[in-house]
Each structure stands twice: as C-alpha cells, then as structure tokens.
C-alpha cells in the first residue's frame, strides 16, 4: 500500500476515545486533595514523597482526628455534638495552628503549655474583642481535653497559670421598628411573587417571633402545625438538642406569620429539593444558618440599611424587649424563649430597660 493511500485510510478512521480516567476540574479525584509536604518542598504530585511531615501537617491530622472523635462523643447535655459545634472547635484549632506556624513553633499541639497559650490569647485579644477571646478559649479547651485523654498531655485549664478571659459584657442591640417593616416590604410585603421572596419573607416573620437563629435554620416541615392559619405554631429543637419527638418547645406565631409560611410552602412544592425534610431551601438544597445570615444582609442592603449592622440574633433581642414593653410577663417570656435562667431576661432586655421603666411609670399615672 502506498504512503498516500495509507495516510488516507488513517484519516478516514473515526476519532478514538481516550480509555484513561481524566479527573474533572474540582471533581472527586483523590489526588485533588493534595499530598503531605515536607518543609520547603513545593506542593503538588511528587515522584518521591518525603517521610518527614511538617508540624503544620501533623497539627492538621490531629484536628481531623479530634473532629472524628467528637462525632463519637456527647456534650454536657448527653447529646451528640452538632456539626456546627465541631466546625467551630476545629476552626479555632486551625487558628492556633496558623499562629504556631507564624511563630516558628516546631511541634504539634502537645508543644503548647499554659505560657504559650497565654501568648496566643493575648495576641488574639489585641486585634479582637474580649468576648471573642473568651469564645476562642472555650472552643480550644475541647481540643486540650482530647489531647489529655488521648496523648496524656497536661490540660493547661487544670492549673492556675492559664490566664482566663471572661465573656465581654455587651448590651444587646434592639432593631428599629422601621427596619423590620422595610425588611418585610422588600421581601414582598405579604404578597410574594417568587420562591425567594416568599421564603425570605417567611423567615423574617419567624425570626420576629423570638426563636434562636439555629433553631430557625434547623426547622423541618414536620415541625409545623397541621393548620398554620387556625393554630399557628411550630416546634423548635434546642440549640444543642437531638431531634427526638418529645424534645424541643412550642413557639406560637402570629396569624400573619402562619400565613407567610403557608405562602412559602406553596412555592416550596415546586422546588427540586422539595422532598428534603428541611423547611427552608436554597438553590442547591437546605438553607444553612450562614445562608440565612447572608439573606438578611442582602435584604437589608436592598432596603437601604447598613448590612454590616444586621445580625439574626438581634431579632431575638427585639422580641424580648417588645414583649416586656407590651406588658408581657417575665415568666411567659422565659418559656417562649426557652430560658431556664432568670438572668437571661435581664441580659436580653437590657437595651431599652430604662425607657420601659419610664413608660410603665407613666402608664400608672397618679398613684396617690
């Protein structure tokens, strides 16, 4: 066969498929997760892996092991740790690991003693609030309890050398009535024309009823009253609670809130994830607590308010203040909010307590 004829035959053959597996960008190829790196070695695949792990690699492995261990344990309430809690503990451990790397500390977490942690917390306090430093201390203590149990590492919290930072005393902020009205208006004003409008309006309505932000995010369809118009209420699960049927508490709603949820449920039935037990759905599935926060910031910006000053928990503060301002009893407020400590009433209602006292005195009129 001539060269020209051979070339023509090859050209006439259909293109052959590549039999080798090709990882899609960002796909599930195991190598996309990266490999261990020795100090000073570039990232990526290597022909010969070094047997030496960097301190940062060791700390990262310890955090992974610590997180897996937490999933087999229960908290002080004898309930499984929630993933949000595990993530918070792991994130704080990563913050400590990053600080150790910057300081050039050659060792894993067992290299930390009370003096080193004092340096870490003092440096953190310089660029953050005392309340934030207190939260870091509480989250990090879980890691060192695990180190004590697994590695027999002395727990710095057991001695007197560790400097403790108390929680910051910050008066809870109360939302302006105009802000809430504008947020409800920008989400459809009770006449939603889209899935997102109906969902966001219903979430804001529920937040005004006083439940915790995590309780709202964790709501499931089965938690709703069978008739949200005649008997508007929902069961919410405690922040660190299990989803047992007999757990949680009942949160009654205003009729307008029940109607807002009904309007959302009509749109929800057409969602691709409508079979999910989660009540609130986003574009790709259940809406998370952080997703609710981003929604509020976006809606606040649309309504002309500063989104950086908006936080989900402010709705809870506002409900407590307005309940007391309207003459509601403190005992009923504790039950509605899920509190067992009377001190929580003082803390949440601190923002406008002087104004409430003045208004109460004026309502009494001439007493003698």
């Amino acid at each position: 066969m001539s060269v020209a004829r051979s070339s023509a035959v090859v050209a006439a053959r259909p293109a052959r498929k590549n039999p080798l597996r090709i990882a899609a960008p960002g796909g599930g190829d195991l190598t996309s997760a990266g490999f261990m790196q020795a100090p000073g070695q570039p990232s990526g695949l290597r022909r010969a892996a070094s047997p030496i792990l960097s301190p940062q690699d060791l700390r990262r492995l310890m955090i992974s092991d610590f997180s897996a261990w937490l999933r087999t344990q229960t908290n002080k309430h004898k309930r499984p740790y929630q993933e949000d809690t595990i993530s918070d503990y792991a994130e704080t451990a990563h913050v400590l690991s990053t600080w150790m790397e910057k300081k050039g500390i050659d060792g894993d977490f067992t290299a930390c003693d009370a003096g080193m942690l004092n340096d870490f917390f003092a440096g953190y306090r310089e660029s953050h609030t005392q309340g934030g430093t207190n939260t870091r201390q509480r989250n990090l203590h879980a890691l060192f309890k695990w180190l004590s149990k697994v590695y027999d590492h002395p727990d710095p919290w057991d001695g007197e050398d560790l400097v403790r930072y108390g929680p910051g005393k910050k008066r809870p902020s109360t939302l302006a009535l105009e802000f809430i009205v504008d947020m409800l208006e920008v989400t459809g004003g009770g006449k939603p024309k889209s899935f997102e409008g109906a969902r966001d309006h219903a979430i804001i309505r529920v937040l005004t009823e006083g439940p915790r932000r995590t309780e709202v995010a964790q709501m499931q369809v089965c938690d709703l009253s069978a008739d949200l118009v005649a008997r508007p209420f929902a069961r919410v699960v405690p922040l660190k609670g299990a989803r047992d049927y007999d757990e949680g508490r009942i949160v009654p709603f205003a009729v307008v809130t029940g109607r807002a949820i009904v309007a959302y449920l009509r749109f929800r039935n057409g969602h691709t994830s409508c079979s999910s037990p989660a009540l609130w759905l986003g574009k790709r599935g259940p809406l998370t607590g952080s997703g609710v926060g981003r929604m509020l910031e976006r809606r606040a910006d649309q309504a002309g308010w500063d989104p950086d000053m908006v936080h989900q928990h402010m709705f809870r503060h506002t409900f407590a203040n307005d309940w007391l301002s309207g003459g509601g009893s403190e005992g009923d407020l504790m039950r509605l909010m899920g509190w067992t400590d009377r001190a929580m009433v003082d803390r949440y209602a601190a923002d406008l307590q002087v104004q409430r006292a003045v208004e109460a005195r004026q309502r009494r009129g001439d007493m003698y």
Side-chain angles (χ1 to χ4, degrees):
M1 184 183 295
S2 66
V3 175
R5 180 176 173 77
S6 176
S7 300
V9 172
V10 173
R13 290 177 182 171
R16 295 293 190 261
K17 298 178 181 179
N18 187 344
L20 301 180
R21 183 175 300 178
I22 300 175
D29 184 5
L30 292 178
T31 61
S32 65
F35 288 85
M36 297 292 183
Q37 290 177 229
Q41 208 159 5
S43 60
L45 296 176
R46 303 191 301 276
R47 294 184 180 274
S50 169
I52 303 175
L53 299 182
S54 70
Q56 188 177 16
D57 284 333
L58 291 174
R59 294 193 295 267
R60 186 173 65 248
L61 288 174
M62 294 177 82
I63 294 172
S64 180
D65 193 13
F66 166 60
S67 300
W69 176 79
L70 283 175
R71 294 185 180 94
T72 68
Q73 305 298 305
T74 57
N75 58 25
K76 63 182 180 181
H77 303 292
K78 305 304 179 184
R79 294 165 176 157
Y81 283 97
Q82 290 196 340
E83 280 301 316
D84 286 348
T85 301
I86 295 173
S87 297
D88 288 343
Y89 289 171
E91 190 268 339
T92 299
H94 280 294
V95 172
L96 174 60
S97 178
T98 301
W99 177 84
M100 293 174 69
E101 183 183 15
K102 291 180 179 178
K103 293 292 184 178
I105 297 172
D106 187 14
D108 57 34
F109 289 119
T110 59
C112 294
D113 56 13
M116 187 180 298
L117 289 176
N118 285 339
D119 290 341
F120 166 68
F121 290 128
Y124 189 87
R125 174 67 181 81
E126 290 179 357
S127 55
H128 298 80
T129 64
Q130 179 164 317
T133 308
N134 171 263
T135 299
R136 291 298 191 196
Q137 280 198 324
R138 289 187 287 108
N139 289 352
L140 207 54
H141 192 190
L143 173 67
F144 282 86
K145 285 182 179 178
W146 173 75
L147 290 173
S148 176
K149 184 179 183 66
V150 176
Y151 293 97
D152 282 333
H153 179 63
D155 186 350
W157 275 259
D158 287 343
E160 299 294 330
D161 294 334
L162 185 70
V163 177
R164 267 73 164 183
Y165 291 85
K169 293 185 177 181
K170 182 179 180 182
R171 191 172 64 182
S173 300
T174 304
L175 295 170
L177 175 61
E178 294 82 0
F179 168 78
I180 297 176
V181 170
D182 287 349
M183 290 286 279
L184 293 172
E185 187 64 29
V186 81
T187 52
K191 299 178 180 178
K193 296 180 174 58
S194 66
F195 170 83
E196 284 194 353
R199 180 200 64 193
D200 297 354
H201 188 83
I203 290 176
I204 293 170
R205 284 284 185 191
V206 171
L207 285 170
T208 63
E209 304 286 0
R212 298 178 176 93
R213 53 186 176 176
T214 306
E215 291 172 340
V216 174
Q218 291 181 343
M219 288 177 69
Q220 297 186 357
V221 176
C222 63
D223 295 329
L224 299 174
S225 164
D227 189 341
L228 283 165
V229 177
R231 295 184 303 156
F233 68 84
R235 181 180 70 103
V236 297
V237 178
L239 185 61
K240 298 181 183 296
R243 293 207 63 88
D244 294 337
Y245 181 77
D246 59 347
E247 294 200 27
R249 72 181 190 283
I250 298 299
V251 174
F253 295 149
V255 174
V256 67
T257 300
R259 292 185 184 279
I261 298 175
V262 171
Y264 162 67
L265 290 175
R266 291 180 59 250
F267 284 95
R268 187 186 183 281
N269 276 348
H271 195 282
T272 55
S273 300
C274 62
S275 61
S276 170
L279 175 59
W280 311 113
L281 301 178
K283 292 182 179 179
R284 301 178 183 85
L287 196 66
T288 63
S290 59
V292 174
R294 289 192 295 271
M295 178 275 289
L296 289 175
E297 292 175 356
R298 184 177 69 254
R299 292 301 190 179
D301 187 51
Q302 291 176 0
W305 298 84
D306 185 354
D308 293 334
M309 299 183 67
V310 179
H311 194 274
Q312 297 122 292
H313 218 61
M314 292 179 178
F315 286 90
R316 191 162 161 85
H317 301 157
T318 304
F319 177 85
N321 175 80
D322 293 351
W323 175 268
L324 295 174
S325 293
S329 74
E330 294 181 353
D332 288 342
L333 178 63
M334 290 179 64
R335 290 173 177 81
L336 291 172
M337 303 287 272
W339 294 331
T340 57
D341 187 352
R342 169 63 180 73
M344 295 298 291
V345 176
D346 292 334
R347 179 179 173 220
Y348 271 68
D351 188 27
L352 300 176
Q353 61 183 181
V354 174
Q355 178 178 323
R356 289 197 308 274
V358 171
E359 291 174 350
R361 177 65 188 86
Q362 291 174 342
R363 286 194 298 270
R364 291 293 300 272
D366 188 0
M367 297 172 58
Y368 308 103

